[in-house]
Amino acid sequence: MTSLWTFFQELFRLCTPITILNILWAATFGMVVGMLPGLTATMGVALLTGLTFRFMPDQAMLILIATYVGAITGGSRSAILLNIPGTPANAASCLDGYPLARQGKAGYAIGLAATASAIGTFFGLLCLATISPLLGKIALKFTSWEFFVLAIFGVVICANLTAPKDPLKGWVAGLFGLLLSQVGQDPIQAFPRFTLGSLQLMGGFSLIPIMVGAYGVGEIVSVMRSPINYTVKTHIQRIIPALSDLLRNWKHILRSGIIGVFVGIIPGVGEDTAAWVSYDFAKRAAKKPELFGKGSIEGLIAAETGDNACIGGAIIPVLTLAVPGSAPAAVLLAAMWLHGIRPGPLLPIEQPTFIATTTAVFFLATLAVTLLSLMFVRPMVKVLEVPRSILMPIVFVLCGVGSFAINGRIFDMYLMFLFGLLGYYMRENNYPAAPLVLGFILGPMADDNFRRAMIISGGDPTPFFTRPICLILWLATILAFLSRSGLGNLFRRRLGSHA
Amino acid sequence: MATSKKLWGGSWLRRKDIYSAIGVMCIAAFFLLGTAFMPWKGVGFTWYSAPGLVPAILAFLLFLSGLLLFLRALFNRRFYARLATEETGGPPVEDDGQEVAAAKDLPPLLQSERWRVILVFALCAVYIFLLIGRLNYILATTIYMAAFIWIFKGGEWYKSLLVGLATAVAVWALFYKVFAVILP
């Protein structure tokens, strides 16, 4: 009851003209970024992190969350109209959204996707408000041993789920991210590690240039690569969906919402996995699964509800454990650090109203994105007609400003470019970027807590394997590892031959 | 020639994996070597709290992963055959031929994907390493934008210049003047 009261207090406090203005432009910006094929929510949020550095923390969070929600919602536009997902989270929406557009129902599909997205986001919001305080209480039991194992668990599970066909490459990316985070002065003895005598590397690599480079620059190059430029040709008519279509599919909406939130809570996995899993479950449960992929309303609703519900889910571990649930949530976490907010188990003690503030911000962002996504479909779709040869250099210029703004160092722009090269190389060679980023974020947590724990136990590693939460996390990590490593198959074959 | 065919197995991804695995092992070796030069015992700390311990473990695991990738790329042909058959995606993008025809009107250099990638990176590198910090921000951004748009056939030279200048001024006014963000 106290939490609900605090939520309303924060909501009323935030309802000012400046807030409304910020939320509207940020939601529009997010939707435009999401709509443009290749530009992702992560890139949009990373870009604005640098640019909103001088804003008040609550306004900065508001802008970033509105961009995040806007991008995931807006991505369905290009998926439906061009059959090219605006963000990876909307890839599953192509399967039924595009066939619907080909049947002359583009406007209806967009309206349906926007409504399903809104329902999904509100579901995620509800879970954020209810689960965060509960998880926060469990998180208070976490000490150095648990945090170290949690970091390992996060990287392994993220690598498994973001590289399902080749998890080895996911692990390589995760380990590389963990190693990159070790550059700079170590957190206990302040010993400079791998700095090669460079003063610029004393503080380590900054997260924003790495993320903007890996996601933003890599994406610009991917978008510009093809000589063929696809444009919108479908005419948009009716937009608002029939209420009966939504009521008829309440089971798909509820199931996808739960899946979205659950996938969101898993470290580093994110919206694309949530959308695919929701889509797959909806297909299995559908009365006419043969319609999936040919313009099924259920398929579109499931994918869009799942990916948007994931947003709320991904923010839950950010607030309670300081572990991001998705790549855009990782940037949100970095933005919180930049603004002096320290998410984690101690957050409710150090900043008692912050979870309520975030929930209120999320609520306002969802409201703005829902209204904008249903009201301005036609003018927003016009953005897809701007030639990419004009749009992409603008994006690169903004990437540069975003990378430079935080520390005011040109070195960070060089880093952004180099990580752009790396991001493109990784993309071309099927290495997922998410474990790299998650590893980079969790690296200091793993290093600091591992050594702290070893100092406390006098060099004895047994508590890592005997404490109950550690045991559960190790078990989950080992199961995830075995299920993908090929060793699992070997065991199954051996068992099969013995039987 | 026959040896290389036997080694690569004719698979493009396998060959790329061999190169990237070597790269991964080299990076891991560099970090591992770096930890060897760090203090492992000193005032107030011992081996288990040494600054090089966690990086050494991580570098070792990375080296191991790189080695596994290398061995898989060399010997596990079935894995790559399976990957090739598992390639799936959404329904193909339908075009009415207009876009493809427009692409065919481009100069030969812009029709090649490889050259397009090289051009994008080259233009961005010139902007970051040569223009920014040496020229005024608006001038540097205008030059980069105009060159990018003109080279990729986004418009005539005067249109490219105009769009470039408008973008540079807009970014400067919005971020420097309104948001008080420092610009390079």
Side-chain angles (χ1 to χ4, degrees):
Chain A
M1 199 63 195
T2 320
S3 307
L4 198 66
W5 178 242
T6 322
F7 165 75
F8 280 114
Q9 269 183 326
E10 289 299 300
L11 195 63
F12 287 123
R13 187 181 65 78
L14 284 167
C15 286
T16 61
I18 288 287
T19 304
I20 292 166
L21 182 73
N22 279 338
I23 214 160
L24 286 176
W25 75 254
T28 311
F29 173 79
M31 289 177 71
V32 169
V33 165
M35 240 190 303
L36 294 169
L39 304 187
T40 60
T42 314
M43 203 222 83
V45 181
L47 196 61
L48 284 187
T49 301
L51 303 179
T52 56
F53 180 49
R54 290 182 181 254
F55 280 56
M56 293 298 288
D58 54 356
Q59 292 298 317
M61 286 304 119
L62 185 104
I63 289 167
L64 298 181
I65 290 177
T67 306
Y68 186 2
V69 177
I72 300 294
T73 306
S76 60
R77 300 283 193 280
S78 46
I80 291 165
L81 294 170
L82 299 175
N83 196 25
I84 301 170
T87 69
N90 307 100
S93 304
C94 286
L95 295 180
D96 290 299
Y98 186 64
L100 278 170
R102 303 293 301 177
Q103 292 161 20
K105 297 175 188 167
Y108 188 67
I110 288 175
L112 202 65
T115 318
S117 298
I119 297 171
T121 319
F122 274 112
F123 188 82
L125 169 72
L126 196 72
C127 293
L128 172 71
T130 50
I131 298 175
S132 292
L134 298 176
L135 196 62
K137 280 179 189 161
I138 298 170
L140 277 173
K141 295 193 173 75
F142 277 51
T143 53
S144 292
W145 290 280
E146 283 82 9
F147 274 116
F148 170 73
V149 188
L150 180 68
I152 302 299
F153 167 74
V155 174
V156 170
I157 199 104
C158 174
N160 270 5
L161 293 175
T162 53
K165 286 180 188 168
D166 192 356
L168 180 58
K169 287 188 175 172
W171 300 333
V172 168
L175 283 167
F176 187 50
L178 284 166
L179 255 181
L180 280 179
S181 72
Q182 306 298 305
V183 175
Q185 287 183 319
D186 88 283
I188 296 180
Q189 285 106 7
F191 184 84
R193 299 187 293 197
F194 314 110
T195 55
L196 306 170
S198 162
L199 280 178
Q200 306 274 22
L201 288 176
M202 278 292 184
F205 294 119
S206 301
L207 175 65
I208 298 300
I210 288 182
M211 292 205 72
V212 170
Y215 282 96
V217 180
E219 277 156 17
I220 291 169
V221 181
S222 297
V223 170
M224 288 304 299
R225 197 173 83 163
S226 169
I228 302 168
N229 189 20
Y230 292 102
T231 47
V232 179
K233 292 184 210 76
T234 316
H235 186 61
I236 295 170
Q237 291 161 329
R238 186 185 162 196
I239 291 163
I240 307 291
L243 189 66
S244 57
D245 278 343
L246 295 170
L247 290 176
R248 210 175 329 125
N249 290 300
W250 71 271
K251 279 184 190 168
H252 291 304
I253 291 174
L254 186 67
R255 186 192 320 106
S256 304
I258 295 168
I259 292 170
V261 171
F262 181 73
V263 172
I265 293 174
I266 300 170
V269 179
E271 291 79 15
D272 44 347
T273 308
W276 283 115
V277 176
S278 303
Y279 185 85
D280 184 49
F281 271 72
K283 191 176 178 181
R284 284 165 200 251
K287 283 177 190 158
K288 291 179 181 171
E290 67 278 5
L291 288 180
F292 276 64
K294 293 171 187 160
S296 159
I297 287 173
E298 290 99 321
L300 185 61
I301 287 177
E304 282 301 310
T305 312
D307 61 13
N308 277 265
C310 183
I311 302 172
I315 298 177
I316 295 171
V318 167
L319 295 175
T320 51
L321 296 163
V323 172
S326 66
V331 195
L332 265 185
L333 177 65
M336 287 179 192
W337 284 332
L338 281 175
H339 286 278
I341 302 155
R342 290 200 310 154
L346 295 178
L347 184 70
I349 298 161
E350 290 175 351
Q351 281 162 308
T353 59
F354 189 75
I355 291 178
T357 311
T358 310
T359 314
V361 159
F362 197 0
F363 178 78
L364 289 173
T366 310
L367 214 59
V369 170
T370 307
L371 289 175
L372 286 171
S373 61
L374 287 172
M375 282 165 67
F376 300 110
V377 173
R378 287 183 193 91
M380 277 195 185
V381 164
K382 290 271 174 208
V383 175
L384 291 174
E385 290 169 18
V386 178
R388 60 198 167 140
S389 51
I390 294 180
L391 214 55
M392 290 305 129
I394 297 178
V395 174
F396 186 76
V397 167
L398 294 176
C399 285
V401 176
S403 300
F404 178 82
I406 292 167
N407 295 322
R409 298 189 305 181
I410 291 196
F411 177 74
D412 283 339
M413 293 180 82
Y414 299 161
L415 267 187
M416 175 197 80
F417 179 80
L418 294 176
F419 276 92
L421 279 173
L422 179 72
Y424 182 73
Y425 178 81
M426 286 176 68
R427 192 180 290 235
E428 288 300 295
N429 288 279
N430 298 343
Y431 287 91
L436 173 91
V437 173
L438 191 73
F440 187 78
I441 289 172
L442 297 182
M445 183 167 118
D447 177 34
D448 193 15
N449 285 295
F450 178 77
R451 287 159 64 201
R452 208 182 292 274
M454 290 292 271
I455 291 169
I456 294 168
S457 62
D460 176 18
T462 38
F464 284 115
F465 306 99
T466 51
R467 295 172 67 91
I469 297 176
C470 287
L471 265 177
I472 295 169
L473 288 170
W474 275 127
L475 199 67
T477 310
I478 290 164
L479 280 176
F481 181 79
L482 285 179
S483 68
R484 299 283 181 177
S485 64
L487 289 173
N489 291 338
L490 193 74
F491 281 132
R492 270 194 291 275
R493 252 180 270 145
R494 284 272 164 92
L495 281 174
S497 63
H498 282 299
Chain B
M1 197 66 192
T3 319
S4 78
K5 265 189 180 172
K6 193 181 172 188
L7 182 68
W8 310 134
S11 165
W12 179 66
L13 189 61
R14 273 183 71 200
R15 189 167 54 184
K16 288 202 327 185
D17 277 1
I18 288 176
Y19 291 142
S20 64
I22 293 170
V24 166
M25 286 191 286
C26 288
I27 291 169
F30 165 77
F31 276 95
L32 210 52
L33 199 69
T35 59
F37 292 103
M38 289 180 191
W40 286 83
K41 268 190 179 178
V43 182
F45 68 92
T46 179
W47 68 268
Y48 53 78
S49 58
L53 179 65
V54 174
I57 296 170
L58 292 173
F60 174 72
L61 289 174
L62 186 67
F63 188 86
L64 210 63
S65 307
L67 188 66
L68 275 176
L69 188 63
F70 184 73
L71 293 175
R72 188 188 73 186
L74 275 185
F75 301 114
N76 195 346
R77 282 158 193 250
R78 247 187 285 170
F79 174 80
Y80 290 93
R82 203 179 65 226
L83 264 192
T85 55
E86 277 178 3
E87 285 299 326
T88 53
V93 180
E94 288 176 37
D95 55 64
D96 57 7
Q98 264 180 328
E99 289 116 346
V100 179
K104 279 182 183 160
D105 287 343
L106 291 170
L109 195 72
L110 292 183
Q111 285 186 30
S112 151
E113 288 194 350
R114 177 179 289 187
W115 275 107
R116 289 177 73 91
V117 169
I118 292 171
L119 266 177
V120 174
F121 272 125
L123 283 166
C124 295
V126 167
Y127 178 58
I128 296 283
F129 293 103
L130 298 179
L131 299 179
I132 286 288
R134 287 187 172 82
L135 295 180
N136 169 280
Y137 179 76
I138 295 181
L139 185 63
T141 306
T142 306
I143 294 171
Y144 162 72
M145 286 281 306
F148 197 107
I149 297 168
W150 183 71
I151 288 171
F152 281 99
K153 304 289 170 200
E156 295 297 323
W157 68 267
Y158 55 87
K159 187 187 165 191
S160 310
L161 202 63
L162 208 67
V163 175
L165 184 65
T167 308
V169 172
V171 169
W172 174 81
L174 184 68
F175 294 111
Y176 188 67
K177 288 289 172 189
V178 181
F179 292 166
V181 170
I182 42 167
L183 292 176

